[in-house]
Amino acid sequence: MADTTLMDKLVSLCKRRGFVFQSSEIYGGLGSVWDYGPLGVELKKNVKDRWWHAMVHARDDIEGLDAAILMHPRVWEASGHVSGFTDPLVDCRHCKNRFRADDPRIKGTPGQPDAQCPVCGTRGTLTEPRMFNLMFKTFVGPVEEQAAVVYLRPETAQGIYVNYLNVLQSARQKIPFGIAQIGKAFRNEITPGNFIFRTREFEQMEMQFFVKPGTDAEWFERWREWRMSWHHDLGLAPAKLQWHQHGPDELAHYARAAFDIQYEFPFGWQEIEGIHNRGDFDLGRHQEHSGKKLDYFDQAANQRFLPFIVETSAGADRVALTLLVDAYREEEVEGETRVVLGLHPAVAPIKAGVFPLVKKDGMPELATELYHDLKRRFPVFYDDSGAIGRRYRRMDEAGTPFGVTVDGETTAARTVTVRHRDSMKQERVSVDQVAGYIEERLGGE
Ligand code: GAP
Protein backbone atom coordinates (compact mmCIF):
# COMPACT_ATOMS: atom_id res chain seq x y z
CA MET A 1 0.00 0.00 0.00
CA ALA A 2 1.48 3.37 -1.02
CA ASP A 3 1.99 5.61 1.98
CA THR A 4 -0.23 8.44 0.75
CA THR A 5 -2.94 5.87 0.10
CA LEU A 6 -2.73 4.71 3.70
CA MET A 7 -3.36 8.25 4.99
CA ASP A 8 -6.24 8.73 2.52
CA LYS A 9 -7.77 5.44 3.60
CA LEU A 10 -7.39 6.33 7.25
CA VAL A 11 -8.98 9.77 6.82
CA SER A 12 -11.87 8.14 5.00
CA LEU A 13 -12.30 5.42 7.66
CA CYS A 14 -12.20 8.07 10.40
CA LYS A 15 -15.05 9.93 8.77
CA ARG A 16 -17.08 6.84 7.85
CA ARG A 17 -16.86 5.31 11.32
CA GLY A 18 -17.14 8.53 13.33
CA PHE A 19 -13.60 8.99 14.62
CA VAL A 20 -12.77 12.41 13.15
CA PHE A 21 -14.68 14.94 11.03
CA GLN A 22 -13.52 18.13 9.33
CA SER A 23 -14.57 21.13 11.45
CA SER A 24 -17.58 23.10 10.12
CA GLU A 25 -17.75 20.76 7.14
CA ILE A 26 -21.16 21.97 5.93
CA TYR A 27 -19.60 25.44 5.45
CA GLY A 28 -16.69 24.07 3.46
CA GLY A 29 -14.52 23.29 6.51
CA LEU A 30 -12.05 25.31 8.54
CA GLY A 31 -8.40 24.68 7.67
CA SER A 32 -6.58 22.29 9.98
CA VAL A 33 -9.25 22.16 12.64
CA TRP A 34 -10.93 18.80 13.29
CA ASP A 35 -13.81 17.48 15.37
CA TYR A 36 -13.84 14.11 17.14
CA GLY A 37 -16.92 11.95 16.58
CA PRO A 38 -18.35 9.26 18.90
CA LEU A 39 -15.48 6.79 18.42
CA GLY A 40 -12.72 9.41 18.20
CA VAL A 41 -13.70 11.08 21.44
CA GLU A 42 -13.50 7.71 23.24
CA LEU A 43 -10.11 6.92 21.69
CA LYS A 44 -8.62 10.28 22.66
CA LYS A 45 -10.18 10.08 26.13
CA ASN A 46 -8.61 6.66 26.65
CA VAL A 47 -5.21 8.10 25.68
CA LYS A 48 -5.64 10.99 28.12
CA ASP A 49 -6.90 8.70 30.90
CA ARG A 50 -3.92 6.39 30.51
CA TRP A 51 -1.54 9.35 30.61
CA TRP A 52 -3.27 10.82 33.68
CA HIS A 53 -3.20 7.47 35.43
CA ALA A 54 0.52 6.93 34.73
CA MET A 55 1.56 10.49 35.54
CA VAL A 56 -0.74 11.47 38.42
CA HIS A 57 -2.68 8.60 40.00
CA ALA A 58 0.09 6.02 39.98
CA ARG A 59 2.66 8.38 41.54
CA ASP A 60 3.05 10.27 44.81
CA ASP A 61 5.30 12.96 43.43
CA ILE A 62 3.07 14.49 40.72
CA GLU A 63 -0.02 16.67 41.23
CA GLY A 64 -2.69 17.50 38.66
CA LEU A 65 -3.71 20.97 37.48
CA ASP A 66 -6.26 22.47 35.10
CA ALA A 67 -5.22 26.06 34.44
CA ALA A 68 -7.25 28.47 32.29
CA ILE A 69 -6.52 28.89 28.59
CA LEU A 70 -6.48 32.68 28.89
CA MET A 71 -3.62 34.08 30.95
CA HIS A 72 -2.20 37.49 31.79
CA PRO A 73 -0.56 38.81 28.60
CA ARG A 74 2.73 39.40 30.44
CA VAL A 75 3.08 35.62 30.86
CA TRP A 76 3.83 35.41 27.15
CA GLU A 77 6.38 38.22 27.33
CA ALA A 78 8.17 36.40 30.14
CA SER A 79 8.02 33.06 28.36
CA GLY A 80 9.57 34.50 25.21
CA HIS A 81 6.54 33.72 23.04
CA VAL A 82 5.68 37.35 22.15
CA SER A 83 9.14 37.97 20.75
CA GLY A 84 10.24 34.51 19.73
CA PHE A 85 7.32 32.23 18.87
CA THR A 86 7.50 33.09 15.20
CA ASP A 87 7.96 31.45 11.84
CA PRO A 88 9.42 33.20 8.78
CA LEU A 89 6.68 33.59 6.22
CA VAL A 90 6.48 34.61 2.56
CA ASP A 91 3.47 35.62 0.45
CA CYS A 92 2.90 35.15 -3.24
CA ARG A 93 1.74 38.53 -4.59
CA HIS A 94 0.15 36.77 -7.55
CA CYS A 95 -1.96 33.92 -6.09
CA LYS A 96 -2.06 35.29 -2.49
CA ASN A 97 -0.93 32.00 -0.97
CA ARG A 98 1.27 32.07 2.12
CA PHE A 99 4.21 29.74 2.88
CA ARG A 100 6.93 29.19 5.41
CA ALA A 101 10.13 30.67 3.98
CA ASP A 102 11.82 27.27 4.35
CA ASP A 103 9.03 25.40 2.50
CA PRO A 104 10.99 22.78 0.50
CA ARG A 105 8.64 23.26 -2.46
CA ILE A 106 9.90 26.83 -3.05
CA LYS A 107 12.51 27.03 -5.81
CA GLY A 108 15.02 29.89 -5.46
CA THR A 109 15.31 32.54 -2.75
CA PRO A 110 12.09 34.30 -1.68
CA GLY A 111 12.27 38.04 -2.43
CA GLN A 112 14.53 37.43 -5.47
CA PRO A 113 13.33 37.46 -9.11
CA ASP A 114 14.24 33.79 -9.61
CA ALA A 115 12.05 32.51 -6.74
CA GLN A 116 9.08 30.48 -7.94
CA CYS A 117 5.73 30.15 -6.17
CA PRO A 118 5.05 26.46 -5.46
CA VAL A 119 1.31 26.88 -6.09
CA CYS A 120 0.84 29.15 -9.14
CA GLY A 121 4.38 28.69 -10.53
CA THR A 122 4.92 32.44 -11.15
CA ARG A 123 8.49 33.71 -10.76
CA GLY A 124 9.49 36.81 -8.81
CA THR A 125 6.21 37.17 -6.93
CA LEU A 126 7.34 35.79 -3.56
CA THR A 127 7.92 38.45 -0.91
CA GLU A 128 10.97 38.70 1.38
CA PRO A 129 10.45 36.56 4.50
CA ARG A 130 8.90 38.33 7.48
CA MET A 131 8.35 37.03 10.96
CA PHE A 132 4.84 35.85 11.82
CA ASN A 133 3.78 35.18 15.42
CA LEU A 134 1.94 31.86 15.79
CA MET A 135 -0.18 32.93 18.79
CA PHE A 136 -3.87 33.67 18.29
CA LYS A 137 -4.84 37.06 19.69
CA THR A 138 -8.17 37.97 21.19
CA PHE A 139 -9.56 40.63 23.54
CA VAL A 140 -10.72 40.56 27.14
CA GLY A 141 -13.84 42.67 27.76
CA PRO A 142 -15.88 44.58 25.20
CA VAL A 143 -13.16 46.90 23.87
CA GLU A 144 -10.90 45.82 21.04
CA GLU A 145 -7.86 47.82 22.03
CA GLN A 146 -4.22 47.01 22.62
CA ALA A 147 -4.56 47.14 26.43
CA ALA A 148 -7.12 44.32 26.33
CA VAL A 149 -5.15 41.88 24.13
CA VAL A 150 -4.82 38.33 25.42
CA TYR A 151 -3.59 35.21 23.67
CA LEU A 152 -4.96 31.72 23.37
CA ARG A 153 -2.19 29.72 25.03
CA PRO A 154 0.20 28.06 22.55
CA GLU A 155 1.28 25.51 25.21
CA THR A 156 -0.15 24.43 28.55
CA ALA A 157 3.23 24.59 30.32
CA GLN A 158 3.02 28.25 31.35
CA GLY A 159 -0.12 27.61 33.42
CA ILE A 160 1.99 25.17 35.43
CA TYR A 161 4.92 27.55 36.00
CA VAL A 162 2.75 30.40 37.26
CA ASN A 163 0.96 27.99 39.64
CA TYR A 164 4.05 26.16 40.83
CA LEU A 165 4.13 27.76 44.29
CA ASN A 166 0.34 27.39 44.76
CA VAL A 167 0.56 23.67 44.05
CA LEU A 168 3.76 23.11 46.02
CA GLN A 169 2.28 24.74 49.12
CA SER A 170 -1.32 23.53 48.93
CA ALA A 171 -0.36 19.91 48.19
CA ARG A 172 2.51 20.07 50.76
CA GLN A 173 4.93 18.69 48.19
CA LYS A 174 8.70 18.79 48.37
CA ILE A 175 11.18 19.02 45.56
CA PRO A 176 11.60 16.86 43.49
CA PHE A 177 7.96 16.87 42.43
CA GLY A 178 5.92 17.46 39.29
CA ILE A 179 2.72 19.07 38.03
CA ALA A 180 0.73 17.48 35.20
CA GLN A 181 -1.90 19.06 33.00
CA ILE A 182 -3.99 18.12 29.98
CA GLY A 183 -5.57 20.89 27.96
CA LYS A 184 -6.13 22.71 24.71
CA ALA A 185 -3.41 24.73 23.02
CA PHE A 186 -3.65 26.89 19.91
CA ARG A 187 -1.11 27.76 17.23
CA ASN A 188 -1.76 29.61 14.00
CA GLU A 189 0.46 27.17 12.10
CA ILE A 190 1.41 28.37 8.62
CA THR A 191 1.81 24.96 7.08
CA PRO A 192 -0.45 22.69 9.05
CA GLY A 193 -1.53 19.37 7.66
CA ASN A 194 -1.32 15.62 7.64
CA PHE A 195 -4.78 15.25 9.09
CA ILE A 196 -4.71 15.61 12.91
CA PHE A 197 -0.88 15.60 13.05
CA ARG A 198 -0.42 19.37 12.92
CA THR A 199 -3.53 21.40 13.66
CA ARG A 200 -4.34 24.90 14.82
CA GLU A 201 -6.25 23.71 17.88
CA PHE A 202 -4.95 20.65 19.73
CA GLU A 203 -4.58 19.07 23.14
CA GLN A 204 -1.35 18.71 25.05
CA MET A 205 -0.50 16.38 27.92
CA GLU A 206 2.34 18.14 29.70
CA MET A 207 4.23 17.48 32.91
CA GLN A 208 6.80 19.77 34.48
CA PHE A 209 9.10 18.14 37.03
CA PHE A 210 10.83 20.53 39.47
CA VAL A 211 14.23 19.36 40.65
CA LYS A 212 17.29 20.56 42.52
CA PRO A 213 19.90 22.03 40.13
CA GLY A 214 22.59 19.45 39.50
CA THR A 215 20.12 16.55 39.62
CA ASP A 216 18.42 17.62 36.35
CA ALA A 217 20.52 15.46 34.00
CA GLU A 218 19.70 12.35 36.02
CA TRP A 219 15.95 13.15 36.13
CA PHE A 220 16.01 13.92 32.43
CA GLU A 221 17.31 10.41 31.70
CA ARG A 222 14.70 8.83 33.98
CA TRP A 223 11.89 10.70 32.30
CA ARG A 224 13.16 9.72 28.86
CA GLU A 225 13.00 6.09 29.83
CA TRP A 226 9.55 6.30 31.47
CA ARG A 227 7.98 8.18 28.60
CA MET A 228 9.28 5.78 25.95
CA SER A 229 7.91 2.84 27.97
CA TRP A 230 4.52 4.54 28.12
CA HIS A 231 4.37 4.63 24.31
CA HIS A 232 5.45 0.99 24.10
CA ASP A 233 2.70 0.06 26.56
CA LEU A 234 0.12 1.55 24.18
CA GLY A 235 0.96 -1.38 21.92
CA LEU A 236 2.79 0.71 19.29
CA ALA A 237 5.25 -1.24 17.11
CA PRO A 238 8.64 -0.74 18.83
CA ALA A 239 10.47 -0.62 15.47
CA LYS A 240 8.43 2.45 14.54
CA LEU A 241 9.51 4.44 17.60
CA GLN A 242 12.87 6.18 17.89
CA TRP A 243 14.70 8.97 19.68
CA HIS A 244 15.74 12.16 17.98
CA GLN A 245 18.21 14.34 19.86
CA HIS A 246 18.05 18.06 19.15
CA GLY A 247 21.33 19.47 17.84
CA PRO A 248 22.51 22.93 18.99
CA ASP A 249 20.76 24.64 16.04
CA GLU A 250 17.43 22.91 16.80
CA LEU A 251 17.23 23.55 20.56
CA ALA A 252 14.35 25.81 21.63
CA HIS A 253 15.34 29.03 23.40
CA TYR A 254 14.48 27.53 26.81
CA ALA A 255 16.13 24.11 26.43
CA ARG A 256 19.50 22.85 27.66
CA ALA A 257 18.85 19.42 26.18
CA ALA A 258 15.95 17.98 24.22
CA PHE A 259 14.97 14.61 22.83
CA ASP A 260 11.89 13.87 20.74
CA ILE A 261 10.09 10.57 20.67
CA GLN A 262 9.41 10.04 16.98
CA TYR A 263 7.09 7.66 15.17
CA GLU A 264 7.47 6.54 11.58
CA PHE A 265 4.32 7.92 9.94
CA PRO A 266 3.52 7.34 6.26
CA PHE A 267 4.83 10.91 5.77
CA GLY A 268 8.14 10.21 7.57
CA TRP A 269 9.62 10.11 11.08
CA GLN A 270 7.90 12.79 13.14
CA GLU A 271 7.76 13.98 16.75
CA ILE A 272 4.96 12.77 18.99
CA GLU A 273 6.46 13.86 22.32
CA GLY A 274 9.28 16.13 23.46
CA ILE A 275 11.36 15.73 26.64
CA HIS A 276 13.20 18.90 27.57
CA ASN A 277 15.66 19.94 30.24
CA ARG A 278 14.54 23.55 30.67
CA GLY A 279 16.98 24.45 33.46
CA ASP A 280 15.85 27.50 35.45
CA PHE A 281 14.76 29.41 32.35
CA ASP A 282 11.02 29.43 33.09
CA LEU A 283 10.99 30.14 36.82
CA GLY A 284 13.84 32.63 36.34
CA ARG A 285 11.89 34.55 33.69
CA HIS A 286 8.63 34.55 35.66
CA GLN A 287 10.44 35.65 38.79
CA GLU A 288 12.02 38.51 36.88
CA HIS A 289 8.87 39.62 35.06
CA SER A 290 6.41 39.25 37.95
CA GLY A 291 8.72 40.53 40.66
CA LYS A 292 7.61 37.60 42.88
CA LYS A 293 10.15 35.29 44.49
CA LEU A 294 9.77 31.77 43.14
CA ASP A 295 12.69 30.07 44.83
CA TYR A 296 12.44 27.03 47.07
CA PHE A 297 13.77 26.53 50.56
CA ASP A 298 15.18 23.07 51.11
CA GLN A 299 14.88 22.64 54.88
CA ALA A 300 16.95 19.49 55.11
CA ALA A 301 19.92 21.09 53.33
CA ASN A 302 19.15 24.60 54.69
CA GLN A 303 19.49 25.86 51.13
CA ARG A 304 17.53 28.16 48.84
CA PHE A 305 17.47 27.59 45.08
CA LEU A 306 15.44 28.15 41.95
CA PRO A 307 14.36 24.69 40.79
CA PHE A 308 15.32 23.34 37.38
CA ILE A 309 12.57 21.85 35.24
CA VAL A 310 12.41 18.64 33.25
CA GLU A 311 9.41 18.72 30.91
CA THR A 312 7.57 15.94 29.13
CA SER A 313 5.20 17.26 26.47
CA ALA A 314 2.99 15.04 24.31
CA GLY A 315 0.11 15.81 21.97
CA ALA A 316 -3.08 13.85 22.67
CA ASP A 317 -4.18 14.23 19.04
CA ARG A 318 -0.79 13.08 17.77
CA VAL A 319 -0.83 10.04 20.01
CA ALA A 320 -4.38 9.26 18.79
CA LEU A 321 -3.19 9.56 15.17
CA THR A 322 -0.18 7.38 15.93
CA LEU A 323 -2.45 4.70 17.36
CA LEU A 324 -4.72 4.81 14.30
CA VAL A 325 -1.83 4.65 11.81
CA ASP A 326 -0.12 1.86 13.75
CA ALA A 327 -3.35 -0.14 14.06
CA TYR A 328 -4.62 0.10 10.46
CA ARG A 329 -4.28 -3.05 8.36
CA GLU A 330 -5.96 -4.77 5.47
CA GLU A 331 -6.14 -8.56 5.13
CA GLU A 332 -7.48 -10.94 2.54
CA VAL A 333 -10.05 -13.23 4.16
CA GLU A 334 -11.95 -15.72 2.02
CA GLY A 335 -11.51 -13.59 -1.11
CA GLU A 336 -12.60 -10.36 0.61
CA THR A 337 -10.59 -7.50 2.05
CA ARG A 338 -10.98 -7.14 5.76
CA VAL A 339 -10.05 -3.72 7.23
CA VAL A 340 -8.96 -3.97 10.84
CA LEU A 341 -7.93 -1.43 13.42
CA GLY A 342 -5.79 -3.60 15.67
CA LEU A 343 -5.98 -1.16 18.59
CA HIS A 344 -4.79 -2.23 22.03
CA PRO A 345 -7.99 -3.23 23.91
CA ALA A 346 -7.28 -0.61 26.58
CA VAL A 347 -7.58 2.27 24.09
CA ALA A 348 -10.24 0.76 21.79
CA PRO A 349 -13.33 3.01 21.84
CA ILE A 350 -15.78 0.08 22.07
CA LYS A 351 -14.68 -3.04 23.95
CA ALA A 352 -17.26 -5.51 22.65
CA GLY A 353 -20.02 -5.87 20.08
CA VAL A 354 -23.09 -7.88 21.09
CA PHE A 355 -24.99 -9.68 18.36
CA PRO A 356 -28.04 -11.93 18.29
CA LEU A 357 -27.29 -14.46 15.51
CA VAL A 358 -30.85 -14.13 14.18
CA LYS A 359 -33.78 -11.94 15.14
CA LYS A 360 -35.93 -14.77 16.52
CA ASP A 361 -36.06 -17.70 18.97
CA GLY A 362 -35.49 -15.43 21.99
CA MET A 363 -31.98 -14.44 20.83
CA PRO A 364 -32.60 -10.64 20.63
CA GLU A 365 -34.04 -10.68 24.18
CA LEU A 366 -31.05 -12.57 25.59
CA ALA A 367 -28.58 -10.42 23.65
CA THR A 368 -30.24 -7.21 24.88
CA GLU A 369 -30.06 -8.43 28.46
CA LEU A 370 -26.38 -9.27 28.06
CA TYR A 371 -25.72 -5.94 26.32
CA HIS A 372 -27.17 -3.99 29.29
CA ASP A 373 -25.20 -6.09 31.72
CA LEU A 374 -21.89 -5.51 29.88
CA LYS A 375 -22.62 -1.82 29.28
CA ARG A 376 -22.56 -1.18 33.02
CA ARG A 377 -18.87 -2.14 33.01
CA PHE A 378 -17.41 -0.91 29.68
CA PRO A 379 -18.49 0.58 26.32
CA VAL A 380 -20.41 -1.99 24.25
CA PHE A 381 -22.27 -1.81 20.93
CA TYR A 382 -25.44 -3.73 20.06
CA ASP A 383 -25.98 -4.69 16.43
CA ASP A 384 -28.69 -6.93 15.01
CA SER A 385 -28.72 -5.78 11.39
CA GLY A 386 -27.28 -7.72 8.45
CA ALA A 387 -25.34 -10.96 8.19
CA ILE A 388 -23.18 -11.83 11.19
CA GLY A 389 -20.00 -11.62 9.04
CA ARG A 390 -20.85 -8.02 8.08
CA ARG A 391 -21.44 -7.13 11.72
CA TYR A 392 -18.02 -8.55 12.65
CA ARG A 393 -16.38 -6.52 9.84
CA ARG A 394 -18.00 -3.30 11.04
CA MET A 395 -16.59 -3.90 14.52
CA ASP A 396 -13.16 -4.82 13.06
CA GLU A 397 -13.02 -1.41 11.37
CA ALA A 398 -13.94 0.31 14.63
CA GLY A 399 -11.12 -1.54 16.44
CA THR A 400 -13.49 -3.45 18.76
CA PRO A 401 -11.48 -6.33 20.23
CA PHE A 402 -14.37 -8.72 21.09
CA GLY A 403 -17.58 -9.85 19.42
CA VAL A 404 -20.14 -11.65 21.58
CA THR A 405 -22.74 -13.66 19.68
CA VAL A 406 -25.93 -15.06 21.17
CA ASP A 407 -27.00 -18.15 19.21
CA GLY A 408 -29.09 -21.28 19.51
CA GLU A 409 -26.85 -22.77 22.18
CA THR A 410 -27.19 -19.73 24.40
CA THR A 411 -30.74 -20.59 25.34
CA ALA A 412 -29.95 -24.25 25.89
CA ALA A 413 -26.44 -24.24 27.41
CA ARG A 414 -26.21 -20.59 28.65
CA THR A 415 -23.05 -20.02 26.58
CA VAL A 416 -22.12 -17.42 23.94
CA THR A 417 -19.34 -17.28 21.37
CA VAL A 418 -16.62 -14.71 21.92
CA ARG A 419 -14.83 -13.81 18.70
CA HIS A 420 -11.37 -12.27 18.86
CA ARG A 421 -10.83 -9.41 16.41
CA ASP A 422 -7.20 -10.16 15.53
CA SER A 423 -7.15 -13.95 15.24
CA MET A 424 -10.88 -14.20 14.34
CA LYS A 425 -10.90 -17.30 16.57
CA GLN A 426 -14.09 -18.04 18.46
CA GLU A 427 -14.51 -19.56 21.90
CA ARG A 428 -17.56 -20.57 23.87
CA VAL A 429 -17.86 -18.80 27.20
CA SER A 430 -20.62 -19.10 29.73
CA VAL A 431 -23.04 -16.15 29.81
CA ASP A 432 -22.29 -15.55 33.48
CA GLN A 433 -18.56 -15.32 32.86
CA VAL A 434 -18.41 -13.29 29.68
CA ALA A 435 -18.09 -9.87 31.41
CA GLY A 436 -15.17 -11.09 33.54
CA TYR A 437 -13.62 -12.85 30.53
CA ILE A 438 -13.54 -9.59 28.55
CA GLU A 439 -12.51 -7.43 31.50
CA GLU A 440 -9.52 -9.68 32.18
CA ARG A 441 -8.33 -9.18 28.60
CA LEU A 442 -8.75 -5.38 28.37
CA GLY A 443 -5.16 -4.90 29.55
CA GLY A 444 -3.96 -6.73 26.42
CA GLU A 445 -4.34 -10.27 25.13
N1 GAP B 1 5.84 22.98 26.18
C1 GAP B 1 6.69 22.49 25.16
C2 GAP B 1 6.02 22.38 23.87
O1 GAP B 1 4.91 22.85 23.68
P1 GAP B 1 6.33 21.42 21.45
O2 GAP B 1 7.38 20.49 20.92
O3 GAP B 1 6.09 22.68 20.70
O4 GAP B 1 6.75 21.68 22.96
C3 GAP B 1 4.87 19.45 22.33
O5 GAP B 1 4.96 20.61 21.56
C4 GAP B 1 3.95 18.44 21.69
O6 GAP B 1 2.68 19.04 21.40
C5 GAP B 1 4.44 17.90 20.34
O7 GAP B 1 5.31 16.79 20.54
C6 GAP B 1 3.15 17.47 19.69
O8 GAP B 1 2.78 16.17 20.12
C7 GAP B 1 2.15 18.48 20.21
N2 GAP B 1 1.93 19.55 19.21
C8 GAP B 1 2.66 20.67 19.03
N3 GAP B 1 2.16 21.43 18.03
C9 GAP B 1 1.08 20.76 17.56
C10 GAP B 1 0.13 21.02 16.50
N4 GAP B 1 0.16 22.13 15.77
N5 GAP B 1 -0.85 20.09 16.29
C11 GAP B 1 -0.93 18.96 17.05
N6 GAP B 1 -0.06 18.68 18.05
C12 GAP B 1 0.93 19.56 18.31
Side-chain angles (χ1 to χ4, degrees), residues 155 187 189 197 199 204 206 271-272 311 313 315 318:
E155 61 171 12
R187 297 182 189 178
E189 302 275 6
F197 178 79
T199 54
Q204 288 187 314
E206 296 200 301
E271 169 188 349
I272 53 175
E311 167 183 67
S313 176
R318 272 202 202 166

Side-chain angles (χ1 to χ4, degrees), residues 3 13 49 59 65 71 76 116-117 128 135 147 153 198 211 215 283 288 296 362 366 394 428 433:
D3 286 349
L13 181 144
D49 286 350
R59 302 184 63 109
L65 178 75
M71 301 182 74
W76 306 108
Q116 190 178 12
C117 171
E128 291 267 353
M135 285 195 291
R153 64 181 177 199
R198 180 168 285 111
V211 304
T215 63
L283 293 185
E288 187 190 322
Y296 173 80
L366 267 173
R394 286 199 286 261
R428 286 213 82 85
Q433 282 167 9

Side-chain angles (χ1 to χ4, degrees), residues 13-39:
L13 181 144
C14 282
K15 178 170 180 193
R16 189 168 72 245
R17 299 315 316 262
F19 279 94
V20 179
F21 309 122
Q22 171 77 67
S23 158
S24 324
E25 196 183 6
I26 59 169
Y27 288 97
L30 178 65
S32 284
V33 185
W34 298 88
D35 299 338
Y36 287 77
L39 296 191

Side-chain angles (χ1 to χ4, degrees), residues 189-249:
E189 302 275 6
I190 304 168
T191 43
N194 287 323
F195 194 31
I196 53 172
F197 178 79
R198 180 168 285 111
T199 54
R200 295 195 162 107
E201 173 175 342
F202 54 97
E203 266 183 293
Q204 288 187 314
M205 308 183 289
E206 296 200 301
M207 192 283 304
Q208 313 294 324
F209 206 74
F210 300 84
V211 304
K212 188 172 180 176
T215 63
D216 47 305
E218 199 182 306
W219 278 107
F220 183 68
E221 287 310 315
R222 265 184 216 149
W223 276 111
R224 273 193 344 114
E225 196 183 307
W226 288 333
R227 292 308 306 149
M228 185 60 107
S229 307
W230 185 82
H231 289 278
H232 284 154
D233 291 348
L234 289 175
L236 296 173
K240 294 204 158 222
L241 288 165
Q242 71 174 20
W243 286 108
H244 166 72
Q245 180 173 16
H246 286 213
D249 51 335

